[in-house]
Amino acid sequence: MQFDAQWLLLALAPVFLACIGWEAWHLSRARTRGRYAESARYQWSDTLCNAALALMHQGADKLAWLVAVPVYAFVYDHYRLLAWQPGFGAWLALFVAQDLLYYVFHRASHRVRWLWAAHVVHHSSERLNLSTAFRQSLMYPVAGMWLFWIPLALLGFPPAQIVAIVLVNLAFQFFVHTQAVPKLGWLEYVFNTPSMHRVHHARNERYIDRNYAGVLSIWDRLFGSFVAEDAQDPPQYGIVKPLRSCNPLKATFHEWHAMAHDFGRMRGARARFAALFAPPDWCARYDGTNRTSVPENNTEGEFGSRKT
């Protein structure tokens, strides 16, 4: 990929903004006909919060690459297992491998509280439209998102290609954050779609912690996390304990604050470790007696965890 991939999302910004403009216009026209839920429509405070979070995230991301790329380069130079010849086969292998690792990262971000503390920002809005895709956390580098791409360097992909494919994956996901697109038939068996992602953002009990796909939907079907959107159970968006704020700083740090509070009140190393790395609601269900028990599944806990 012969371009500075770190500028990809910036280069696509006019496309994203044009799509947001179209969606806002379309939803406004459809409002009188009641075609879409209120949660689909744009609200100034929510949209501005999403924009602020996007700018904060982009700044942190640029700084994170300064650390991550040398790590990828070190692994690539000293420990790579394969040598790929340039071409479509190498690109396809990189695309599939990164998409699988994204699924692993995304699922872990709902199962490990340290990762959820960053990822919860993306889920905290009670609206879902294209601007929600911008709702990202500046704390992803601290949570360790970049660590999940190290296996790509081990597999023999150079750092520039790793950065590029990560950003291509994220760029694709912009288009699935909408309620204006219905189910897409057979495409649902191959690709992540708006219908699949509406399920992922929902807090309904049957939808929580489902459909982790980045680009390909095959991983959810393969690993048992797929649930289809049901018209009889329309998605309700947001986290189980609503944030009720459009302050980007509160959206960014509220779960880190709650996690630090729980870490401080726990007694014993095991319980404190669990406060950071168990499922997000572990502390809310901790009774002080079973100090080593980490439940298999999340439940609707005090701090907005999401269950499988």
Side-chain angles (χ1 to χ4, degrees):
M1 295 185 181
Q2 304 300 317
F3 61 92
D4 186 351
Q6 295 189 50
W7 294 101
L8 175 64
L9 297 184
L10 183 61
L12 286 173
V15 176
F16 295 157
L17 292 176
C19 291
I20 287 173
W22 173 86
E23 184 185 45
W25 171 81
H26 173 71
L27 294 173
S28 178
R29 287 192 63 196
R31 184 170 193 163
T32 57
R33 298 190 292 272
R35 289 181 55 192
Y36 300 104
E38 179 62 28
S39 61
R41 300 187 178 97
Y42 286 78
Q43 181 187 62
W44 276 110
S45 57
D46 180 77
T47 303
L48 290 175
C49 179
N50 294 343
L53 288 166
L55 292 174
M56 293 160 62
H57 166 72
Q58 283 299 301
D61 218 32
K62 293 290 288 184
L63 293 175
W65 287 127
L66 296 178
V67 175
V69 169
V71 173
Y72 302 156
F74 179 81
V75 174
Y76 175 80
D77 290 338
H78 295 90
Y79 299 105
R80 67 179 182 267
L81 303 175
L82 301 170
W84 297 91
Q85 295 300 314
F88 177 76
W91 180 88
L92 182 62
L94 174 61
F95 167 78
V96 173
Q98 192 275 329
D99 199 59
L100 173 58
L101 290 173
Y102 179 83
Y103 175 90
V104 173
F105 156 75
H106 199 181
R107 187 160 186 165
S109 292
H110 286 251
R111 307 293 295 156
V112 177
R113 193 179 186 187
W114 182 267
L115 295 169
W116 174 247
H119 189 57
V120 68
V121 177
H122 186 61
H123 285 270
S124 59
S125 175
E126 294 182 52
R127 295 176 179 269
L128 182 70
N129 51 53
L130 289 172
S131 77
T132 309
F134 292 165
R135 193 181 185 91
Q136 303 292 341
S137 175
L138 65 83
M139 297 297 284
Y140 275 129
V142 176
M145 180 179 186
W146 59 277
L147 294 170
F148 285 81
W149 319 134
I150 290 177
L152 297 174
L154 190 65
L155 290 173
F157 297 108
Q161 292 184 10
I162 295 173
V163 174
I165 203 65
V166 168
L167 296 182
V168 166
N169 191 298
L170 294 177
F172 170 87
Q173 291 184 54
F174 168 83
F175 299 100
V176 300
H177 291 83
T178 181
Q179 298 185 55
V181 177
K183 289 188 176 183
L184 297 177
W186 65 267
L187 287 175
E188 309 270 339
Y189 291 93
V190 182
F191 296 107
N192 188 14
T193 65
S195 176
M196 284 189 62
H197 208 61
R198 288 193 289 270
V199 165
H200 180 70
H201 272 264
R203 63 175 180 240
N204 312 46
E205 184 175 352
R206 70 188 304 269
Y207 294 150
I208 290 178
D209 282 359
R210 300 290 183 176
N211 297 0
Y212 299 104
V215 176
L216 301 175
S217 65
I218 58 176
W219 312 120
D220 283 300
R221 296 177 184 277
L222 183 62
F223 298 119
S225 52
F226 173 77
V227 167
E229 184 180 24
D230 186 348
Q232 302 303 313
D233 190 12
Q236 302 295 315
Y237 300 106
I239 52 179
V240 173
K241 184 179 180 181
L243 180 62
R244 308 254 189 248
S245 174
C246 289
N247 182 328
L249 292 178
K250 184 172 183 180
T252 298
F253 295 112
H254 77 280
E255 180 64 15
W256 293 96
H257 178 268
M259 184 169 62
H261 174 267
D262 283 337
F263 179 82
R265 72 181 176 87
M266 291 296 158
R267 295 294 177 264
R270 289 180 181 271
R272 288 186 170 179
F273 182 87
L276 300 180
F277 300 108
D281 72 321
W282 186 88
C283 290
R285 293 183 291 108
Y286 175 76
D287 63 5
T289 59
N290 190 0
R291 297 178 181 270
T292 63
S293 175
V294 178
E296 170 117 9
N297 296 322
N298 292 353
T299 58
E300 298 182 0
E302 180 182 357
F303 301 116
S305 61
R306 307 168 70 82
K307 70 182 177 183
T308 300

